[in-house]
Amino acid sequence: MPAPERTSLPQIVAAATALLEASGVEALTMQAVAAEVGVRAPSLYKRVRGRDALLALVAEGIARELGATLELAAGGAETGRRRLVALANAVREFARERPEAYSLLFARLPDAARPDPAVLAGSVAVVLRVAADAVGPERALDAARLLTAWVHGFVSMELADRFRMGDELDRAFAFGADRLADALGLE
Amino acid sequence: MPAPERTSLPQIVAAATALLEASGVEALTMQAVAAEVGVRAPSLYKRVRGRDALLALVAEGIARELGATLELAAGGAETGRRRLVALANAVREFARERPEAYSLLFARLPDAARPDPAVLAGSVAVVLRVAADAVGPERALDAARLLTAWVHGFVSMELADRFRMGDELDRAFAFGADRLADALGLE
DNA sequence: ACCTGAACACCGTTCAAGT
DNA sequence: ACCTGAACACCGTTCAAGT
């Protein structure tokens, strides 16, 4: 005798994402997710292999959202330099608005919790495209890496509160973006 | 009737650090630490407030070691530019040799697990000093932030295995360091 | 076919009881 | 004064039993 489906994978991933963003990754427990979707924890294992696999699905959703946000930001800028700065600002804004989500994206996690590399690659494709447009195809990869590493480093240190260097972070970020654009030879 | 002391705080912190580096932060459990020092888990609470406080002590020790490593690296270089490059390389080597330790240093943790800010500041002081020496006092802070953010971003993405861009990471790192030195106006 | 309670092996932490 | 077993409130996960 079949039993009715009381939830679904998308509903589970949505509930898990909401828990993550509201209360951090340690609040994303199987029991909390189950309660959120109106089911008991063991039932979740019908839709997802385990907590790590759920974390990976959550991370993939976040990566897609970040990618879409970056596409939007890049689309609104005219010159190559402005597009790079717009990307940097968009990443920082995303991380400040959704710190737990952003942190999950770059967290060191067990292999089972790794998001699909193809999804991650898709989200970063904008950066590579904009970089190619700004500095030319043969220097695009280096430029994208330099920019990405700096933005991520700045943002992750800001989130971890490791700067402890006063409140002029906005200015420091703008300074860094300008200097990097100079270093990449953008007009 | 007094009972003999079977362990000590330094021994506990050392055991915790060893567990972290060997098997990751999730292996650093109170029970595992206790077993390592020959005691039962509840006894640890005589020396440390809880697991988070222990994590903070571990992080402080690691921060001191990183600081000492950076001092050494900076001391061996002649020009300002070479000192900055030496610092960047030293951070990357430290992170590659002791990934779990490095990750803990910049991890987002509960407040109770935050290392003493003064200890962290002491470990980063080298970077600020070298930056001041290289680009002058008024641009030192910006330069230190730019360099630190880039190095940390590069290294943390390398550790998280998020680059997925082939194997030329050494070259990419050297490229980034050179470009940043250019951007900071170093000869 | 899905859902559940019960169970297992873990956690961190508290505390009364031992020495 | 320190150490311990037992206990409590959690985890993730498995599985036989229900419908």
Side-chain angles (χ1 to χ4, degrees):
Chain A
M1 288 294 114
E5 303 190 3
R6 298 193 196 167
T7 184
S8 66
L9 184 55
Q11 206 186 343
I12 289 168
V13 174
T17 305
L19 279 167
L20 168 75
E21 304 208 4
S23 314
V25 69
E26 79 282 358
L28 198 169
T29 70
M30 296 301 268
Q31 308 191 17
V33 171
E36 212 71 36
V37 301
V39 105
R40 298 289 186 169
S43 300
L44 298 179
Y45 292 80
K46 284 283 155 182
R47 330 256 178 200
V48 83
R49 194 181 293 273
R51 184 177 183 262
D52 282 345
L54 180 52
L55 278 176
L57 292 175
V58 169
E60 283 168 23
I62 293 164
R64 266 185 264 262
E65 290 184 73
L66 177 58
T69 302
L70 297 187
E71 293 281 3
L72 221 64
E78 318 275 300
T79 67
R81 186 188 194 100
R82 285 191 186 154
R83 267 193 290 274
L84 280 183
V85 171
L87 281 184
N89 282 323
V91 171
R92 184 164 178 240
E93 274 170 39
F94 188 95
R96 285 159 67 103
E97 280 167 21
R98 306 169 63 183
E100 301 292 346
Y102 183 84
S103 297
L104 180 68
L105 231 42
F106 292 95
R108 298 185 72 227
L109 293 171
D111 286 359
R114 293 270 172 95
D116 183 350
V119 174
L120 285 178
S123 306
V124 188
V126 212
V127 182
L128 211 54
R129 222 179 50 237
V130 168
D133 209 49
V135 304
E138 74 278 4
R139 292 163 64 222
L141 186 56
D142 285 328
R145 277 175 170 167
L146 180 57
L147 182 80
T148 304
W150 169 72
V151 174
H152 172 59
F154 192 101
V155 162
S156 83
M157 293 182 74
E158 185 178 7
L159 289 186
D161 197 16
R162 288 294 189 277
F163 265 118
R164 303 233 166 250
M165 293 177 180
D167 45 2
E168 300 209 17
L169 285 180
D170 288 351
R171 202 193 49 76
F173 192 77
F175 169 86
D178 274 344
R179 281 307 162 97
L180 284 181
D182 291 345
L184 293 171
L186 303 189
E187 307 158 17
Chain B
M1 286 295 115
E5 302 191 2
R6 298 192 196 166
T7 184
S8 65
L9 184 56
Q11 205 186 343
I12 289 167
V13 175
T17 306
L19 279 166
L20 168 76
E21 304 206 5
S23 314
V25 68
E26 80 282 359
L28 198 169
T29 70
M30 296 303 267
Q31 308 192 16
V33 172
E36 212 71 36
V37 302
V39 104
R40 298 290 186 168
S43 299
L44 297 179
Y45 292 80
K46 286 281 155 182
R47 330 255 179 202
V48 82
R49 193 182 294 274
R51 184 178 183 261
D52 282 344
L54 180 53
L55 278 176
L57 293 175
V58 170
E60 284 167 23
I62 293 164
R64 265 185 266 262
E65 291 184 73
L66 176 59
T69 302
L70 296 186
E71 293 281 2
L72 220 65
E78 319 275 302
T79 68
R81 187 187 192 103
R82 286 192 187 153
R83 266 193 290 273
L84 280 183
V85 171
L87 281 184
N89 282 323
V91 170
R92 184 165 178 238
E93 275 171 37
F94 187 96
R96 285 158 67 104
E97 281 168 20
R98 305 169 62 185
E100 300 292 344
Y102 182 84
S103 297
L104 180 67
L105 230 43
F106 292 94
R108 298 184 72 225
L109 294 170
D111 286 359
R114 291 271 172 94
D116 182 351
V119 173
L120 285 178
S123 306
V124 188
V126 213
V127 182
L128 210 56
R129 222 178 51 235
V130 168
D133 209 49
V135 303
E138 74 278 3
R139 293 163 62 221
L141 186 56
D142 285 327
R145 276 173 169 168
L146 181 56
L147 181 79
T148 304
W150 170 72
V151 175
H152 172 59
F154 192 101
V155 162
S156 84
M157 293 181 76
E158 186 178 7
L159 288 186
D161 196 16
R162 287 295 189 276
F163 265 117
R164 302 232 166 252
M165 292 179 182
D167 46 1
E168 301 210 16
L169 285 181
D170 288 351
R171 203 194 49 75
F173 192 76
F175 168 85
D178 274 345
R179 282 306 163 97
L180 284 182
D182 292 345
L184 293 171
L186 302 189
E187 307 157 14

